[in-house]
């Protein structure tokens, strides 16, 4: 979930054109979530203690030539597995342009203790591999290589400094039981302090709509039944990672970790591969225009 998911957001529905874009991409019948966890999945990877302020680049082996050759994608795995060990640091306030928010949060988890931060790293690694196979240069904001963070302002800065063609922040929500499905968070038109999203609102909306459509088709999961009015799209003006971005960026909430049926998907390695594939297909469609 986003860093300030506990704060009641100001939500605004996207224009109907986004719903239309989503509908156009949903080429198969939307089905309810299903599946079962894979008990052999190695989700509990240990985190290292070394700190790094440098975005993690793709492996140095030459990338294959493909449709995304020459394009740069930044993937932002939500939260950090050890944020909970550094509560003082992550509670430090940082400037988000229109106000101040916590550096980061611990994220949520399933009832069985599968942490959002581990989920986001796993999906991020899968997504990186899929994008690299198409020739994209992929950077990560972190890769389980620092004691906490990075803070939300640094996450935005990494994408900006990379001059990324697209940035996707991977998350999972922590809502009430019965609230199910995925949604994609889009940046609102925000201008204040160091924030100005006027140049990225339209391109981010296209990126988000394409990801939402492909996510439905690839995973079989329905758009959120509690956010976005059935479109799978939600616009927010209170997220520093979006407010401070100067390149197209969205957050993807892959499901609700607190709902048992969604949790069964999120803990299933096979479904996580589908989630990564849906995001990769949406990113590629956006970059290809």
């Amino acid at each position: 979930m986003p860093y300030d998911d506990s704060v009641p957001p100001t939500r605004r529905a996207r224009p109907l054109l986004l719903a239309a874009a989503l509908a156009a991409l949903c080429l198969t019948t939307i089905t309810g979530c299903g599946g079962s966890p894979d008990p052999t999945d190695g989700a509990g990877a240990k985190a290292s203690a070394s700190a790094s302020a440098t975005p993690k680049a793709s492996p140095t082996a030459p990338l294959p030539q493909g449709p995304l050759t020459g394009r740069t994608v930044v993937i932002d795995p939500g939260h950090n597995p050890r944020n909970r060990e550094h509560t003082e640091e992550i509670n430090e306030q940082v400037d988000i342009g229109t106000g101040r928010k916590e550096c980061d949060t611990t994220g949520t988890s399933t009832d069985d203790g599968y942490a959002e931060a581990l989920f986001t790293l796993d999906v991020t690694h899968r997504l990186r591999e899929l994008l690299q196979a198409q020739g994209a240069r992929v950077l990560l904001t972190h890769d389980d290589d620092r004691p906490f963070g990075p803070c939300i302002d640094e996450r935005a800065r990494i994408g900006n400094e990379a001059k990324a063609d697209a940035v996707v922040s991977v998350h999972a929500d922590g809502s009430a039981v019965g609230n199910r499905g995925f949604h994609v968070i889009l940046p609102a038109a925000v201008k204040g302090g160091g924030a100005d999203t006027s140049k990225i609102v339209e391109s981010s909306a296209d990126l988000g709509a394409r990801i939402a459509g492909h996510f439905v088709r690839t995973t079989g999961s329905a758009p959120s039944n509690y956010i976005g009015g059935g479109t799978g799209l939600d616009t927010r003006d209170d997220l520093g990672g979006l407010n401070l971005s100067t390149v197209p960026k969205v957050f993807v909430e892959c499901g609700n970790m607190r709902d048992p049926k969604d949790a069964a998907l999120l803990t299933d390695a096979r479904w996580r591969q589908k989630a990564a594939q849906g995001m990769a297909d949406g990113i590629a469609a956006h970059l290809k225009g």
Side-chain angles (χ1 to χ4, degrees), residues 29-55:
T29 302
I30 296 175
T31 61
C33 301
S36 57
D38 180 356
T40 64
D41 173 48
K46 292 185 178 179
S48 77
S50 60
S52 171
T54 305

Side-chain angles (χ1 to χ4, degrees), residues 2 14 18 73-78 127 165-171 183-188 200-212 232-236 239 241-243 245 247-253 279 282-283 286:
R14 275 315 285 177
L18 287 181
V73 178
V74 171
I75 312 173
D76 177 28
L127 178 55
D165 296 292
V167 183
V168 173
S169 189
V170 180
H171 287 265
H183 64 278
V184 183
I185 305 175
L186 315 174
I200 68 161
V201 167
E202 194 171 326
S203 54
S204 297
D206 180 76
L207 172 63
R210 290 178 186 271
I211 289 175
L233 302 171
D234 182 42
T235 302
R236 289 177 62 168
L239 297 177
L242 296 181
N243 289 357
S245 185
V247 294
K249 183 174 182 178
V250 299
F251 282 42
V252 181
E253 296 279 4
M279 283 186 265
I283 293 167
H286 169 73

Side-chain angles (χ1 to χ4, degrees), residues 90-162:
I90 67 170
N91 284 331
E92 288 282 339
Q93 299 278 302
V94 298
D95 186 4
I96 66 166
T98 56
R100 299 185 69 81
K101 292 287 185 182
E102 295 86 357
C103 158
D104 201 0
T105 67
T106 60
T108 188
S109 68
T110 66
D111 288 342
D112 291 335
Y114 181 39
E116 179 186 359
L118 293 177
F119 168 83
T120 64
L121 280 168
D122 180 90
V123 174
T124 290
H125 293 157
R126 296 169 188 271
L127 178 55
R128 175 175 62 184
E129 183 176 350
L130 291 167
L131 292 170
Q132 287 176 337
Q134 298 187 66
R137 172 178 176 253
V138 180
L139 302 176
L140 307 187
T141 59
H142 75 98
D143 194 10
D144 199 13
D145 55 354
R146 51 193 295 164
F148 66 91
C151 294
I152 52 176
D153 55 344
E154 183 183 351
R155 291 172 187 262
R157 188 163 58 250
I158 289 169
N160 296 344
E161 291 178 352

